[in-house]
């Protein structure tokens, strides 16, 4: 399995298990299946609502001696309603409690978006969403760096950050994020962002690598292109005796990004990890490169308020 290194020498496996959209009840089972299949990298988040279930599965695996904590790389993410400096570490501790861990390998600021502190669930009114100036990203980031100093997390990073927001954060902070996790797949190749991250030593994780077709209907455009049914992806898959999902996953890895396909199905969990064995040719990579259409599966106005706040969080 290919892995990527942080500056201190720690490594993260290129393929991890995504857990967004894994319901509590199936998330823990998926994590067990994944670890038994050989995954050592699990991507979680407080807002996915399944960390407690995953924590129970992890504890069981540790107790039964199937895997050791130090063999795993576990990521989680800080939700938008805990951006105030005094709320960050309590939110992190809740995640650690749920996951039943005493440290995280990586903690990410989930979005460059602030909600009313303490808000549970989705914002119901304009008052639940705060202008980012009210709780600046730098305030949240400083608290995350504190968590790193305290040993609660080994690495700190962000998610859904554009080059503009990364640049602002880097200029204002003593330490740059070590990771940026963003939507990334052949329809949204994000060349500019990848170049920016590379030049600043920021690793990149690709989410929704398979097009996240199990996401809620409210997040779907009326007619969206299907990655798994794309003819070029299917031709390449047939040529290699692989599946379209395996081509999409290996494409991400060969572009030097980390990738976190979600599955709660045992066969697909294994299939996705086995994509590591596939080798795409330069010609395959070139053909996939031509598929870019700057298309996002996640709506750009996900957090837009009536007054137009967070109109487009992906500002470049
Ligand atoms: P399932 O969980 O039933 O396997 P993404 O990682 O882009 O968010 O995509 C997740 C979606 O892709 C889920 O609907 C998941 O379904 C499906 N999926 C995961 N692995 C595969 C695969 N190997 N082939 C087809 N669909 C897959």
């Amino acid at each position: 399995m290919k892995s990527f290194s942080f500056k201190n020498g720690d490594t993260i496996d290129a393929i991890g298990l995504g857990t967004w959209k894994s319901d509590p009840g199936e998330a823990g089972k998926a994590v067990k299946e994944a670890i038994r299949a050989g995954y050592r990298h699990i991507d979680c988040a407080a807002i996915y609502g399944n960390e407690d279930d995953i924590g129970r599965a992890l504890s069981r695996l540790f107790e039964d001696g199937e895997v050791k904590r130090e063999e795993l790389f576990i990521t989680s993410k800080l939700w938008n309603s805990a951006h105030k400096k005094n709320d960050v570490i309590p939110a992190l501790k809740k995640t650690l409690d749920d996951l039943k861990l005493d440290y995280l390998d990586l903690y990410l600021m989930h979005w460059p978006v602030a909600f009313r502190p303490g808000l549970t669930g989705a914002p119901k009114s304009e008052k639940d969403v705060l202008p980012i100036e009210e709780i600046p990203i730098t305030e949240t980031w400083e608290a995350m760096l504190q968590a790193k100093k305290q040993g609660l997390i080994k690495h700190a990073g962000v998610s859904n950050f554009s080059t503009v927001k990364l640049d602002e954060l880097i200029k204002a902070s003593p330490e740059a994020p070590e990771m940026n996790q963003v939507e990334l797949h052949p329809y949204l190749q994000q060349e500019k962002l990848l170049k920016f991250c590379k030049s600043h030593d920021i690793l990149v994780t690709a989410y929704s690598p398979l097009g996240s077709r199990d996401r809620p209907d409210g997040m779907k455009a009326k007619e969206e292109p299907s990655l798994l049914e794309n003819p070029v992806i299917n031709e390449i898959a047939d040529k290699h005796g692989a599946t379209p999902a395996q081509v999409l996953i290996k494409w991400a890895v060969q572009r030097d990004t980390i990738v976190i396909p979600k599955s709660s199905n045992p066969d697909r969990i294994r299939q996705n990890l086995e994509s590591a064995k596939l080798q795409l040719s330069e010609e395959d990579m070139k053909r996939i490169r031509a598929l870019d259409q700057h298309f996002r599966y996640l709506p750009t106005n996900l957090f837009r308020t009536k007054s137009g706040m967070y109109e487009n969080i992906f500002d470049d």
Side-chain angles (χ1 to χ4, degrees):
M1 164 72 64
K2 182 167 168 171
S3 63
F4 295 89
S5 298
F6 292 91
K7 276 190 218 139
N8 73 346
D10 287 349
T11 58
I12 176 169
D13 275 2
I15 303 175
L17 179 76
T19 63
W20 175 39
K21 309 176 262 75
S22 274
D23 293 332
E26 65 174 25
K29 279 191 212 131
V31 165
K32 269 192 197 156
E33 287 290 344
I35 288 173
R36 287 175 182 154
Y39 285 75
R40 290 295 176 264
H41 164 196
I42 311 289
D43 183 82
C44 311
I47 195 65
Y48 302 162
N50 54 15
E51 289 193 324
D52 190 38
D53 192 39
I54 294 173
R56 276 195 297 273
L58 290 174
S59 297
R60 199 57 199 262
L61 289 162
F62 299 149
E63 273 162 34
D64 294 348
E66 292 195 55
V67 72
K68 294 193 186 79
R69 169 66 185 100
E70 58 273 23
E71 291 169 331
L72 297 183
F73 191 102
I74 313 273
T75 301
S76 184
K77 310 184 192 86
L78 175 78
W79 188 235
N80 306 345
S81 53
H83 271 213
K84 268 193 115 38
K85 69 170 182 266
N86 290 335
D87 292 343
V88 173
I89 290 184
L92 167 60
K93 285 190 172 161
K94 164 83 170 82
T95 269
L96 287 171
D97 233 39
D98 284 344
L99 289 171
K100 295 163 220 353
L101 299 176
D102 47 22
Y103 70 92
L104 288 177
D105 296 277
L106 175 64
Y107 199 41
L108 305 177
M109 193 186 317
H110 207 144
W111 290 93
V113 171
F115 287 171
R116 177 169 60 74
L119 175 75
T120 51
K124 284 171 201 69
S125 75
E126 189 90 14
K127 281 194 206 134
D128 287 340
V129 184
L130 306 180
I132 203 65
E133 300 73 37
E134 222 168 282
I135 314 177
I137 297 292
T138 43
E139 171 180 333
T140 312
W141 183 241
E142 272 168 32
M144 291 178 67
L145 294 180
Q146 275 303 319
K148 189 173 160 185
K149 275 205 190 106
Q150 291 178 21
L152 296 170
I153 61 175
K154 298 216 169 194
H155 302 278
V158 295
S159 181
N160 297 299
F161 270 51
S162 61
T163 57
V164 175
K165 295 199 174 73
L166 279 175
D167 198 42
E168 280 170 16
L169 182 56
I170 292 168
K171 286 190 175 132
S173 312
E175 259 186 66
E178 297 171 87
M179 176 74 73
N180 188 19
Q181 183 180 123
V182 293
E183 181 178 338
L184 209 57
H185 44 71
Y187 294 153
L188 183 71
Q189 302 195 13
Q190 308 238 45
E191 292 285 345
K192 181 178 168 194
L193 184 64
L194 287 193
K195 250 189 227 146
F196 181 94
C197 289
K198 194 163 187 195
S199 69
H200 288 86
D201 268 336
I202 301 170
L203 295 171
V204 175
T205 299
Y207 75 67
S208 296
L210 311 178
S212 283
R213 62 181 168 187
D214 55 344
R215 69 200 191 289
D217 286 343
M219 281 193 189
K220 287 182 182 161
K222 267 196 194 116
E223 300 217 344
E224 55 180 35
S226 162
L227 274 171
L228 289 166
E229 283 157 30
N230 177 279
V232 172
I233 301 293
N234 276 267
E235 269 177 44
I236 296 172
D238 288 347
K239 187 181 83 178
H240 290 282
T243 67
Q246 288 178 318
V247 171
L248 293 167
I249 295 165
K250 194 56 198 266
W251 172 82
V253 175
Q254 285 188 213
R255 279 180 101 211
D256 283 343
T257 64
I258 295 145
V259 60
I260 46 167
K262 173 265 171 184
S263 180
S264 32
N265 170 284
D267 291 337
R268 289 192 284 275
I269 287 172
R270 274 191 291 277
Q271 182 197 119
N272 294 346
L273 189 68
E274 277 165 17
S275 62
K277 294 185 195 139
L278 183 64
Q279 183 61 39
L280 300 176
S281 68
E282 263 178 47
E283 178 60 23
D284 297 333
M285 294 298 284
K286 215 162 120 192
R287 289 184 74 197
I288 300 176
R289 192 175 181 155
L291 299 179
D292 197 4
Q293 43 182 283
H294 310 289
F295 174 80
R296 286 182 188 277
Y297 285 102
L298 255 76
T300 54
N301 60 3
L302 196 58
F303 300 111
R304 186 177 63 195
T305 62
K306 280 196 189 120
S307 68
M309 229 193 299
Y310 300 113
E311 175 74 38
N312 179 7
I313 23 188
F314 307 109
D315 44 12
D316 205 1

